[in-house]
Amino acid sequence: MPALTLREILALDPVRAAEPELLAGHTALDRPVRWVLPLLLGFARSGGTPTSEVYEGANFLDGGELLLTNGFGLTDTEESIRRRYVRELAARGAAGLAVEVGRSLPSMPAEVIDEAHRRELPLLAMHRVVPFVRITEAANRAIVARGLSGRSVVRPWGDDHTAALLADLADRAALNQPEVEARAALAGFHPGPGARLIGVSLHGTREVGTVDRAVRLLGGAGVMRAAFPGDVLALLSLPGARAGDPVKAVQEAFRTSAVPGLTVAVGHAVSASDGGSGWLRWSDTLRAARTTLELALTVPPAEPGVPDGPLVTSSRALALERELTRGGVEANRERLAALVQHSLGPLLAWEAAHPSDLVRTLETHLRNGCSPTRTAALLHIGRQSLYQRLERIESLLDLDIDDPDLLGELLAATCAHRLVRETGAVVRGGLRTVA
């Protein structure tokens, strides 16, 4: 289905209520509109020269946006800057510019009209004040209903624009910050100043109730969530003033809310806003959660999970596995095997002749900061038995496993051994991508 056109946008009731007058671009009314974005123009002076942060914001447009502005920045600036602003919008492929006149801007400057004529950029003067939020919500909902900004790809979730936004972010589709924030607002997702965003991916359920229960436990968190064919995907927003590690807080909430059999992967925490490219961080944490989920489902765990409970992990917990398996285990198998043989050769030879659990013991010990108490508890053995194993390992490898210079190599090698030896033997279910 074709995208919504500018002509159709102008026919919407909230737009008509603003009494729009088309001053330029009469031949371009049938161009498609991807999104309607509010833009509050404001100019400042730097060294006596007027500048505009919003004018620079034209660089973040992808094309097809209809921009709404109060026109304040067009009142006290030079003609050349006004013309340049219009030229930049046209060059970026904006679908049009709608300017509120009568309050901040008494009338449309002649040079703005002239430049819009020259560039065939639709220019609208809105003669009555209508809150921009009413216009953007009505227009963007109509765009979503028509087919998500005119895109021709048929998505399995139909007109669920929350699912569509999460999928676009997880797939890192071509987006920009104003579009992401506007689409998030339509989904009721409003990260506050300083908020920390965390992506979460769940496997083993087609319901979003687990996410909702975790959000209630977190108290004050915002969320976008949707179910997909292979997993449930969510983006959580935690207040910036919240104390403590946000990733650990989210993990604990899901350990409490998730039922046995579920696998939950938590991405890293990112800032909700980071200039014009902040949406890339939104994408990064969602992608990290989905990558971590796939690893959790296909890679044998370094440590046993809680019996009869959900498996809740994070991108930080599986960071080493992610780095070692970029491109897949099979593509890296030869390299990983060489690493294992180089670092653990004598230990592997001993285990081949004497059935034992030395490599697993070494990895568990290293992953837990070389803490005998923690290692013994996880392996369900006594401390004396652990000390005997560690002495055997040091004797076979002829090194001190507490040597800081060796920790990185030994941990990478023991992890690689687990991946090469056991991957494929333990698979907790398939995972389909959202695209």
Side-chain angles (χ1 to χ4, degrees):
M1 184 177 292
L4 213 66
T5 65
L6 182 57
R7 189 188 304 276
E8 291 172 306
I9 294 290
L10 293 178
L12 296 174
D13 288 342
V15 181
R16 293 172 58 191
E19 297 183 1
E21 179 187 2
L22 187 63
L23 302 178
H26 295 73
T27 62
L29 287 177
D30 292 318
R31 64 175 52 176
V33 178
R34 290 183 62 245
W35 214 245
V36 178
L37 303 175
L39 204 61
L40 299 178
L41 276 173
F43 286 82
R45 291 188 175 272
S46 175
T49 302
T51 62
S52 170
E53 294 181 358
V54 176
Y55 159 71
E56 298 298 337
N59 295 326
F60 299 117
L61 301 180
D62 287 332
E65 297 91 351
L66 172 62
L67 305 176
L68 311 179
T69 174
N70 59 8
F72 177 76
L74 299 176
T75 57
D76 296 319
T77 189
E78 299 173 0
E79 174 183 339
S80 61
I81 293 179
R82 292 171 175 166
R83 288 185 178 274
R84 183 182 172 196
Y85 176 65
V86 175
R87 286 198 302 271
E88 285 293 324
L89 293 182
R92 298 296 298 185
L97 175 64
V99 183
E100 186 182 276
V101 296
R103 289 199 302 175
S104 301
L105 186 69
S107 61
M108 192 72 73
E111 59 272 14
V112 172
I113 299 174
D114 179 65
E115 199 64 41
H117 272 301
R118 291 172 180 267
R119 308 293 167 177
E120 296 185 355
L121 176 71
L123 176 65
L124 298 162
M126 298 188 295
H127 294 284
R128 292 195 63 181
V129 176
V130 174
F132 283 169
V133 66
R134 288 181 53 195
I135 295 176
T136 56
E137 284 187 353
N140 291 334
R141 288 187 188 279
I143 290 171
V144 167
R146 176 61 64 88
L148 189 58
S149 303
R151 293 172 186 166
S152 60
V153 176
V154 178
R155 300 274 186 161
W157 42 88
D159 60 356
D160 184 344
H161 59 268
T162 301
L165 176 55
L166 288 169
D168 281 346
L169 288 169
D171 292 342
R172 189 163 280 192
L175 303 171
N176 60 46
Q177 190 67 22
E179 178 181 352
V180 168
E181 291 179 353
R183 291 173 64 182
L186 280 178
F189 188 63
H190 304 277
R196 305 287 285 171
L197 303 186
I198 300 175
V200 179
S201 189
L202 296 83
H203 182 76
T205 180
R206 294 296 305 278
E207 303 296 332
V208 298
T210 300
V211 176
D212 294 338
R213 291 192 294 274
V215 168
R216 287 194 292 271
L217 289 172
L218 287 167
V223 65
M224 285 194 297
R225 79 286 189 275
F228 295 93
D231 61 346
V232 171
L233 195 60
L235 184 63
L236 276 61
S237 170
L238 273 62
R242 183 189 183 98
D245 183 342
V247 172
K248 285 189 175 295
V250 171
Q251 285 185 266
E252 286 304 315
F254 276 98
R255 286 193 180 101
T256 302
S257 65
V259 299
L262 291 189
T263 302
V264 182
V266 179
H268 45 265
V270 300
S271 174
S273 59
D274 183 27
S277 61
W279 74 271
L280 291 173
R281 295 184 180 272
W282 298 32
S283 175
D284 285 344
T285 186
L286 284 170
R287 291 167 67 86
R290 300 202 81 254
T291 300
T292 301
L293 180 63
E294 189 161 3
L295 285 170
L297 292 172
T298 57
V299 169
E303 299 173 3
V306 178
D308 301 323
L311 172 60
V312 181
T313 188
S314 67
S315 59
R316 62 173 59 156
L318 294 178
L320 186 53
E321 287 85 343
R322 183 175 65 250
E323 293 303 316
L324 291 175
T325 60
R326 287 188 182 276
V329 174
E330 289 305 318
N332 291 280
R333 186 173 293 276
E334 185 176 339
R335 177 179 63 85
L336 295 178
L339 170 63
V340 172
Q341 187 60 40
H342 170 76
S343 302
L344 304 176
L347 197 57
L348 298 178
W350 169 268
E351 288 205 325
H354 307 82
S356 60
D357 207 11
L358 297 185
V359 176
R360 178 167 173 258
T361 298
L362 177 57
E363 182 179 12
T364 303
H365 190 59
L366 295 173
R367 281 183 174 271
N368 288 276
C370 297
S371 166
T373 302
R374 174 71 174 160
T375 303
L378 287 170
L379 295 175
H380 303 289
I381 60 176
R383 287 173 61 110
Q384 192 59 39
S385 296
L386 173 63
Y387 289 137
Q388 291 174 356
R389 290 187 186 185
L390 295 178
E391 289 175 2
R392 174 72 67 182
I393 292 170
E394 291 184 329
S395 174
L396 290 168
L397 296 180
D398 193 23
L399 50 75
D400 179 1
I401 60 176
D402 291 328
D403 184 345
D405 291 340
L406 294 171
L407 292 180
E409 178 184 339
L410 291 177
L411 183 55
T414 54
C415 180
H417 176 261
R418 173 167 47 88
L419 296 173
V420 171
R421 186 187 67 178
E422 300 181 29
T423 295
V426 181
V427 179
R428 287 177 289 278
L431 177 65
R432 294 170 57 186
T433 62
V434 296

